[in-house]
Amino acid sequence: GAKKFKKAELKAIYIFMAPKNIRILENRLKKRGDKDIKERLNVYKKELKFKKQCDYCLDTTGITNKDIDKKIKIFIGYLKGENRFGWK
């Protein structure tokens, strides 16, 4: 998705969202009972190549899907200068 936008040179802020490392992702997938862990890890490895082209990287270690929206709102506030010291 984002790679196509970047390739088309659309002006946007690109945020790479992923856990710090592959072991954390693997453990998360195992806890969830994911059936295609091997495939998900292969996708993760491929997507890591795009990370360097992004403007920001959001570490999702320990963040649940419920927390993602909240963290993104905090991050947008950070970009707007509303929360300079609250972003971690």
Side-chain angles (χ1 to χ4, degrees), residues 43-75:
V43 169
Y44 176 85
K45 289 175 189 175
K46 290 176 187 174
E47 289 177 348
L48 277 178
K49 295 174 186 172
F50 183 65
K51 179 179 177 179
K52 293 176 186 173
Q53 297 176 39
C54 293
D55 302 301
Y56 296 93
C57 182
L58 174 61
D59 176 22
T60 61
T61 302
I63 298 175
T64 64
N65 287 344
K66 292 177 186 178
D67 295 333
I68 292 290
D69 287 339
K70 182 179 174 184
K71 291 290 184 183
I72 289 173
K73 287 177 184 175
I74 292 169
F75 185 71

